[in-house]
Amino acid sequence: MHPTPPLRTDHPARSLRAGRRPGRRPALGSALGSALGSALGSAPGWQLLQPQLTATRGPLLRLLAWSGVEALPPLVSGLFVSAAVDQGFLLGRPGVGVAWLGGFGAAMAVRAYATRAGFPHLAGVVEPLRDALVERVVRSALHRPSADPAELARLTEQVEAVRQLTATLLRTLRGVGVTLVAALIGLTLLAPAVLPLVLLPLSAAGLLFARLLRPLVARRRAVVLAEERLAAEAGRALHGLRDVQATGTADEVARALTAAARESAAASRALGRASALRALVVAVGGRLPVLAVLAAAPWLLARHALTPGELLGVATYLVQQLDPAVRTLAGTVGGWLLDLAVVLDRLATTTAAPAVPVPARAGSSAPPGDTAAEVRLTGVRFGHGGGAVPVLAGLDASLRPGEHVAVVGPSGAGKSTLAALLAGVLEPTAGRVTVGGVRPEPARLVALVPQEAYVFPGSVRDNLLWLAPDTDDARLAAAVALLGAEELVARLGGPTAVLAAALGDSGELSSGERQLLALVRTYLSPAPVVVLDEATCHLDPAAEERVERAFAARPGTLVVVAHRISSALRADRVLLLDGGHGLLARHGDLQVLSPLYRELVGHWLGSAPRTGAGLAS
């Protein structure tokens, strides 16, 4: 048996730590679970994988069934070789010997078919695992919207690494498992006298391998952390190279980089020393049984405990089945297992926070949460780069609980930036943004609807209740009707209709329809503050008015980034952004206080169609 190659030779398993197995595992997952359980030193990584293996018990059982068929050649190899020698070639009956060997060849053909038949069931395990991990990463990103995009890219690479490694380990471990079990059963049937010579060193090798896994994971983790620290130090040095030269701190930076490089090299050497002990596992578990049997062969043959054919059959089991299986387990599988342990732990710890806080049950038309929360901006500054002019420069504003505020300003004034700051998607460079005295939390305290609304594959109901999954059918229907989405939902096939086709290249859902679905979703959310960042720009003026009036009547605070004069006229107050500062007042007062606002209103009224102007008035 030769090691099964990974699905890709360039799999991106690169970082991380690991978790410990729980007490119970599904069928076939037991091989992987047993190895992980002894290898992983902390719970999160294994707890991330175990529920997914349990959820795919059906494909795992079918994969196990085909693995049983694959066990046929390892089981009969020694028996058929022994029969070919004793009953055929030694008796001068070469036809009988060839027939027995032909039977072994037929068993190999059956195994090849079983291997091919098992691949769809393997996909039934690893593809749902990949989908679940991708969803976990996305949920985590939604909960931590200020996360570094590079970190999210690494996480998606690690999800793919988990898929590849899990598939490869399942393929290889089931091959190793059925080979070992079948070879031992075959040895028992063929020559029980040699079992002590095989089982004692094999058991010792198994214990040694189990003891090595956890230290190997720890050393692998140390290597990863040291490499990440070295990369971080080098990145900071390159990013601030001109500052380093200007301040004359090149020697200090060089010393820090040297120390990080030495730490990385020391961790790699420690991992190499620990990995070298895996050769001892191969020697004890794979080679020692062969030497023991060869040493005892004259004594066994002399006392007729073995026939020449049985001795050759035992050698077949040991050399062709047992030794390659032990080498694969200790070498290839050991390395892949370390990578999987580290990647799983990285995913588990990085995406541990729940993506969307669990909303309270919707028992009435009013959203749960503190609808009396005051929104306050104190000295808020924000710039997109170290040398860039700040988009917001010391903005102060206070939005009263339950107030409807429109945000206006010329292009580039920072309206969308302010919306993201209010929603907690961006952090201010300086100053504070608070909702009810605390930092705004996406989904729980503030719900943001951007200009380009997101609709994901799934049912219409899943899309609409994403932020409030406990909403009953009556409240859902009322919200759909209130925002004017009844016709759209009916055309899509009702709440249970699946949107996968509507999200394809056919463009069945227009931008306005996507906005409408996202607006219903947000209306039902538990957040006491809603921010609409030009979220109705693809709706006609009548639909926009209907939506804004519905949100204004919804308990809580409403902030609308306006793109029509009508939105500003419907608001309680208007926040005018210009030059990084803001002026918050009623529409009529702003026309007196600000020439810029008068100019914006004149532009709106001059460019708006008559229907829009009529709505504005």
Side-chain angles (χ1 to χ4, degrees), residues 52-71:
Q52 300 306 320
L53 294 180
T54 302
T56 55
R57 182 174 290 126
L60 280 168
L61 290 174
R62 289 188 286 275
L63 191 60
L64 178 62
W66 283 111
S67 298
V69 178
E70 289 185 66

mmCIF file of all heavy atoms in Angstrom, residues 52-71:
data_model
loop_
_atom_site.group_PDB
_atom_site.id
_atom_site.type_symbol
_atom_site.label_atom_id
_atom_site.label_comp_id
_atom_site.label_asym_id
_atom_site.label_seq_id
_atom_site.Cartn_x
_atom_site.Cartn_y
_atom_site.Cartn_z
ATOM 1 N N GLN A 52 -19.625 18.257 12.293
ATOM 2 C CA GLN A 52 -19.825 18.104 10.854
ATOM 3 C C GLN A 52 -19.704 16.642 10.428
ATOM 4 O O GLN A 52 -20.440 16.179 9.553
ATOM 5 C CB GLN A 52 -18.797 18.961 10.095
ATOM 6 C CG GLN A 52 -18.888 20.439 10.417
ATOM 7 C CD GLN A 52 -20.297 20.983 10.207
ATOM 8 O OE1 GLN A 52 -20.964 20.622 9.246
ATOM 9 N NE2 GLN A 52 -20.729 21.848 11.099
ATOM 10 N N LEU A 53 -18.785 15.901 11.046
ATOM 11 C CA LEU A 53 -18.693 14.472 10.753
ATOM 12 C C LEU A 53 -19.959 13.752 11.212
ATOM 13 O O LEU A 53 -20.449 12.847 10.544
ATOM 14 C CB LEU A 53 -17.463 13.872 11.432
ATOM 15 C CG LEU A 53 -16.106 14.356 10.926
ATOM 16 C CD1 LEU A 53 -14.988 13.670 11.686
ATOM 17 C CD2 LEU A 53 -15.956 14.106 9.436
ATOM 18 N N THR A 54 -20.484 14.171 12.351
ATOM 19 C CA THR A 54 -21.721 13.557 12.845
ATOM 20 C C THR A 54 -22.883 13.863 11.916
ATOM 21 O O THR A 54 -23.726 12.997 11.658
ATOM 22 C CB THR A 54 -22.027 14.080 14.258
ATOM 23 O OG1 THR A 54 -20.915 13.793 15.116
ATOM 24 C CG2 THR A 54 -23.270 13.418 14.822
ATOM 25 N N ALA A 55 -22.939 15.080 11.394
ATOM 26 C CA ALA A 55 -24.048 15.473 10.521
ATOM 27 C C ALA A 55 -24.028 14.736 9.190
ATOM 28 O O ALA A 55 -25.053 14.661 8.516
ATOM 29 C CB ALA A 55 -24.016 16.982 10.280
ATOM 30 N N THR A 56 -22.877 14.186 8.808
ATOM 31 C CA THR A 56 -22.774 13.459 7.537
ATOM 32 C C THR A 56 -22.620 11.964 7.790
ATOM 33 O O THR A 56 -21.875 11.279 7.100
ATOM 34 C CB THR A 56 -21.583 13.990 6.720
ATOM 35 O OG1 THR A 56 -20.386 13.902 7.514
ATOM 36 C CG2 THR A 56 -21.795 15.432 6.318
ATOM 37 N N ARG A 57 -23.345 11.461 8.779
ATOM 38 C CA ARG A 57 -23.215 10.046 9.151
ATOM 39 C C ARG A 57 -23.590 9.121 7.991
ATOM 40 O O ARG A 57 -22.984 8.067 7.808
ATOM 41 C CB ARG A 57 -24.079 9.741 10.371
ATOM 42 C CG ARG A 57 -23.958 8.296 10.860
ATOM 43 C CD ARG A 57 -24.720 8.072 12.158
ATOM 44 N NE ARG A 57 -24.067 8.755 13.257
ATOM 45 C CZ ARG A 57 -24.671 9.614 14.069
ATOM 46 N NH1 ARG A 57 -25.942 9.923 13.868
ATOM 47 N NH2 ARG A 57 -24.026 10.178 15.060
ATOM 48 N N GLY A 58 -24.613 9.505 7.204
ATOM 49 C CA GLY A 58 -25.027 8.653 6.091
ATOM 50 C C GLY A 58 -23.913 8.418 5.089
ATOM 51 O O GLY A 58 -23.555 7.269 4.799
ATOM 52 N N PRO A 59 -23.328 9.490 4.504
ATOM 53 C CA PRO A 59 -22.193 9.275 3.595
ATOM 54 C C PRO A 59 -21.023 8.555 4.261
ATOM 55 O O PRO A 59 -20.332 7.754 3.614
ATOM 56 C CB PRO A 59 -21.803 10.693 3.182
ATOM 57 C CG PRO A 59 -23.055 11.498 3.355
ATOM 58 C CD PRO A 59 -23.756 10.900 4.528
ATOM 59 N N LEU A 60 -20.781 8.811 5.552
ATOM 60 C CA LEU A 60 -19.694 8.123 6.239
ATOM 61 C C LEU A 60 -19.941 6.620 6.307
ATOM 62 O O LEU A 60 -19.023 5.809 6.090
ATOM 63 C CB LEU A 60 -19.524 8.696 7.647
ATOM 64 C CG LEU A 60 -18.753 10.002 7.781
ATOM 65 C CD1 LEU A 60 -18.911 10.593 9.165
ATOM 66 C CD2 LEU A 60 -17.283 9.789 7.475
ATOM 67 N N LEU A 61 -21.174 6.225 6.604
ATOM 68 C CA LEU A 61 -21.494 4.801 6.680
ATOM 69 C C LEU A 61 -21.359 4.138 5.313
ATOM 70 O O LEU A 61 -20.860 3.005 5.207
ATOM 71 C CB LEU A 61 -22.905 4.612 7.233
ATOM 72 C CG LEU A 61 -23.093 4.949 8.722
ATOM 73 C CD1 LEU A 61 -24.558 4.862 9.112
ATOM 74 C CD2 LEU A 61 -22.259 4.006 9.593
ATOM 75 N N ARG A 62 -21.801 4.837 4.274
ATOM 76 C CA ARG A 62 -21.655 4.256 2.933
ATOM 77 C C ARG A 62 -20.178 4.163 2.540
ATOM 78 O O ARG A 62 -19.758 3.197 1.892
ATOM 79 C CB ARG A 62 -22.447 5.093 1.927
ATOM 80 C CG ARG A 62 -23.966 4.937 2.097
ATOM 81 C CD ARG A 62 -24.719 5.622 0.984
ATOM 82 N NE ARG A 62 -24.709 7.065 1.114
ATOM 83 C CZ ARG A 62 -25.581 7.763 1.853
ATOM 84 N NH1 ARG A 62 -26.527 7.125 2.534
ATOM 85 N NH2 ARG A 62 -25.514 9.076 1.922
ATOM 86 N N LEU A 63 -19.398 5.167 2.939
ATOM 87 C CA LEU A 63 -17.965 5.100 2.686
ATOM 88 C C LEU A 63 -17.340 3.932 3.442
ATOM 89 O O LEU A 63 -16.449 3.232 2.923
ATOM 90 C CB LEU A 63 -17.321 6.423 3.107
ATOM 91 C CG LEU A 63 -15.872 6.674 2.684
ATOM 92 C CD1 LEU A 63 -15.735 6.653 1.174
ATOM 93 C CD2 LEU A 63 -15.388 8.006 3.236
ATOM 94 N N LEU A 64 -17.807 3.683 4.664
ATOM 95 C CA LEU A 64 -17.326 2.550 5.452
ATOM 96 C C LEU A 64 -17.670 1.230 4.774
ATOM 97 O O LEU A 64 -16.860 0.286 4.761
ATOM 98 C CB LEU A 64 -17.928 2.596 6.855
ATOM 99 C CG LEU A 64 -17.557 1.446 7.793
ATOM 100 C CD1 LEU A 64 -16.064 1.429 8.046
ATOM 101 C CD2 LEU A 64 -18.324 1.538 9.103
ATOM 102 N N ALA A 65 -18.865 1.155 4.195
ATOM 103 C CA ALA A 65 -19.256 -0.083 3.510
ATOM 104 C C ALA A 65 -18.332 -0.388 2.336
ATOM 105 O O ALA A 65 -17.883 -1.528 2.155
ATOM 106 C CB ALA A 65 -20.704 0.027 3.045
ATOM 107 N N TRP A 66 -18.042 0.629 1.532
ATOM 108 C CA TRP A 66 -17.123 0.404 0.417
ATOM 109 C C TRP A 66 -15.711 0.136 0.917
ATOM 110 O O TRP A 66 -14.943 -0.589 0.253
ATOM 111 C CB TRP A 66 -17.129 1.606 -0.525
ATOM 112 C CG TRP A 66 -18.340 1.652 -1.406
ATOM 113 C CD1 TRP A 66 -19.361 2.544 -1.364
ATOM 114 C CD2 TRP A 66 -18.647 0.729 -2.452
ATOM 115 N NE1 TRP A 66 -20.302 2.251 -2.314
ATOM 116 C CE2 TRP A 66 -19.890 1.127 -3.006
ATOM 117 C CE3 TRP A 66 -18.019 -0.396 -2.972
ATOM 118 C CZ2 TRP A 66 -20.494 0.453 -4.047
ATOM 119 C CZ3 TRP A 66 -18.627 -1.085 -4.019
ATOM 120 C CH2 TRP A 66 -19.845 -0.660 -4.552
ATOM 121 N N SER A 67 -15.347 0.673 2.072
ATOM 122 C CA SER A 67 -14.037 0.367 2.644
ATOM 123 C C SER A 67 -13.944 -1.108 3.005
ATOM 124 O O SER A 67 -12.875 -1.716 2.898
ATOM 125 C CB SER A 67 -13.784 1.229 3.888
ATOM 126 O OG SER A 67 -13.782 2.595 3.561
ATOM 127 N N GLY A 68 -15.079 -1.678 3.463
ATOM 128 C CA GLY A 68 -15.085 -3.111 3.740
ATOM 129 C C GLY A 68 -14.807 -3.933 2.498
ATOM 130 O O GLY A 68 -14.105 -4.952 2.546
ATOM 131 N N VAL A 69 -15.339 -3.483 1.361
ATOM 132 C CA VAL A 69 -15.050 -4.183 0.102
ATOM 133 C C VAL A 69 -13.575 -4.020 -0.266
ATOM 134 O O VAL A 69 -12.925 -4.957 -0.752
ATOM 135 C CB VAL A 69 -15.955 -3.641 -1.026
ATOM 136 C CG1 VAL A 69 -15.638 -4.323 -2.353
ATOM 137 C CG2 VAL A 69 -17.426 -3.830 -0.671
ATOM 138 N N GLU A 70 -13.028 -2.833 -0.011
ATOM 139 C CA GLU A 70 -11.613 -2.604 -0.305
ATOM 140 C C GLU A 70 -10.693 -3.472 0.541
ATOM 141 O O GLU A 70 -9.516 -3.671 0.205
ATOM 142 C CB GLU A 70 -11.261 -1.134 -0.083
ATOM 143 C CG GLU A 70 -11.829 -0.181 -1.110
ATOM 144 C CD GLU A 70 -11.348 1.238 -0.896
ATOM 145 O OE1 GLU A 70 -10.138 1.471 -1.055
ATOM 146 O OE2 GLU A 70 -12.164 2.105 -0.558
ATOM 147 N N ALA A 71 -11.197 -3.981 1.660
ATOM 148 C CA ALA A 71 -10.374 -4.820 2.540
ATOM 149 C C ALA A 71 -10.158 -6.216 1.977
ATOM 150 O O ALA A 71 -9.359 -6.984 2.527
ATOM 151 C CB ALA A 71 -11.029 -4.919 3.923
#
